[in-house]
Amino acid sequence: MAHSSSSRTVIFAALGGNLLVAATKFGAAFLTGSASMLSEAIHSLIDTGNQGLLLVGMKRATRPATATHPFGYGLELYFWTFVVALLIFGLGAGVSLYEGIIHIIHPQPVAHVLVNYAVLVASIVFEGSVWLMALRAFRKEGKGRRGWVEAVQMSKDPTVFTVLFEDTAALSGLFVALLGNVLAEWLDMPVLDGVASIIIAFILAVTAAFLARESQSLLTGEGVAPEVLRALRQMALAADGVERLNEIRSMHFGPRDVLVVISLDFRNDMTAGQVEIVVSTLERQIKQTYPEVTRVFIEAQDSRGQPAATAARGTAITP
């Protein structure tokens, strides 16, 4: 299963940048004692690890099929994306919430606040540039005219939208941390630094929940998009000698690794050789039209031998 070069470029850019930003933020948090800055440093460190895990998932997903995994390892990409979501929630949101509560109970004035301002502004500039890269890649990978939520739900490649949402959360957290530091100094209320850390925890928790939901859906076996399924159904019904579409099923094993299974009822006067030719032609047509479909299994079966519920599904568009 191949991955687009834009996906890898975005991930490597985010990984390298987050590592440098995390080191800078940890230095600033140690110098100033800011809870929100420490939350941001932990967030950047976790994001660095997350990008590493995405690269691990992309690498492991390309392993060839074996006897124990006859359909390959494409689903590993979805598994590691789910792990990334858990880390964002468990470590990122958890530590930020803890730091926020501690600094609300025991508020401490932020020292050398100008250092925080400089680090936060610089981080916003860098995170913004990576966010724009991820946004362009996401649009290129298939957002099209869809809305944002719909585009993510329809996407079968979690690498780009994971980085995009991570960077969106990172930018939001940076603005919150900057605002928290400014208000804490201007109003002489150091407790607001802790409040900012709790808000950052909430942002990370929401991001993690959304990513976990989408990766869970992919991991448990999503089919092709409805419009693709309609087109596959039309191809099958238009094939020579096909009287009825009994059933059609599909499943993504990766962004560009799709299994399609079709059960067809052919005319009774067709010979086995004629059926073989139609099946081969239909399989070739499907793969040429949709290169992401790597496996097509077509079964010739009398519709009268289908269970009532299955035969009924053959008349509808089913995943």
Side-chain angles (χ1 to χ4, degrees):
M1 179 185 62
H3 292 275
S4 66
S5 59
S6 60
S7 299
R8 292 185 180 276
T9 300
V10 169
I11 294 175
F12 275 116
L15 187 151
N18 278 320
L19 187 60
L20 293 175
V21 171
T24 305
K25 287 178 180 177
F26 272 116
F30 177 77
L31 183 64
T32 64
S34 169
S36 58
M37 179 60 76
L38 181 59
S39 297
E40 277 299 308
I42 294 170
H43 179 190
S44 293
L45 185 61
I46 293 171
D47 280 352
T48 303
N50 289 345
Q51 271 99 53
L53 290 178
L54 288 177
L55 291 172
V56 168
M58 292 172 73
K59 177 65 175 179
R60 293 178 64 85
T62 60
R63 290 182 295 167
T66 63
T68 55
H69 289 79
F71 291 103
Y73 292 84
L75 291 174
E76 284 227 25
L77 178 61
Y78 301 149
F79 167 76
W80 289 106
T81 305
F82 189 74
V83 171
V84 165
L86 294 181
L87 288 176
I88 294 174
F89 181 82
L91 291 180
V95 174
S96 296
L97 180 63
Y98 172 79
E99 286 295 324
I101 292 173
I102 291 298
H103 281 74
I104 287 176
I105 296 175
H106 305 290
Q108 297 291 331
V110 176
H112 308 289
V113 71
L114 291 179
V115 174
N116 271 0
Y117 294 161
V119 171
L120 289 171
V121 170
S123 298
I124 288 172
V125 171
F126 178 79
E127 292 285 1
S129 62
V130 176
W131 182 85
L132 287 174
M133 288 181 60
L135 179 62
R136 285 195 294 267
F138 182 59
R139 285 176 171 171
K140 180 181 177 182
E141 290 295 322
K143 180 186 181 296
R145 297 180 179 178
R146 296 187 177 102
W148 290 101
V149 175
E150 181 188 4
V152 172
Q153 291 173 339
M154 296 302 294
S155 174
K156 310 303 178 185
D157 187 350
T159 54
V160 174
F161 72 69
T162 296
V163 175
L164 177 62
F165 276 79
E166 277 187 346
D167 286 336
T168 301
L171 274 176
S172 301
L174 287 168
F175 281 113
V176 169
L178 182 60
L179 181 61
N181 275 260
V182 170
L183 292 178
E185 182 187 16
W186 285 4
L187 301 178
D188 195 22
M189 295 177 63
V191 70
L192 293 178
D193 183 44
V195 172
S197 185
I198 291 178
I199 294 174
I200 292 171
F202 175 77
I203 292 172
L204 293 177
V206 171
T207 302
F210 187 79
L211 290 176
R213 179 179 178 275
E214 293 307 314
S215 56
Q216 177 271 336
S217 179
L218 291 166
L219 187 59
T220 51
E222 277 193 14
V224 295
E227 60 268 24
V228 176
L229 195 60
R230 283 192 291 269
L232 293 175
R233 182 172 184 269
Q234 290 170 359
M235 288 181 194
L237 290 172
D240 292 337
V242 173
E243 288 191 335
R244 182 184 179 88
L245 171 63
N246 298 320
E247 190 171 23
I248 179 169
R249 298 283 172 179
S250 65
M251 179 177 171
H252 269 270
F253 285 89
R256 296 167 186 84
D257 185 8
V258 180
L259 166 69
V260 173
V261 180
I262 304 174
S263 173
L264 298 173
D265 184 5
F266 290 90
R267 287 199 323 263
N268 293 332
D269 62 348
M270 295 181 68
T271 66
Q274 290 173 323
V275 171
E276 288 178 356
I277 292 173
V278 173
V279 167
S280 297
T281 301
L282 178 58
E283 179 180 351
R284 186 165 54 251
Q285 180 187 9
I286 290 173
K287 289 184 175 181
Q288 287 176 349
T289 307
Y290 298 102
E292 68 271 21
V293 177
T294 55
R295 302 175 184 88
V296 180
F297 296 102
I298 301 175
E299 178 186 39
Q301 188 173 18
D302 190 340
S303 61
R304 290 174 295 180
Q306 292 282 309
T310 303
R313 284 199 301 271
T315 63
I317 298 172
T318 58

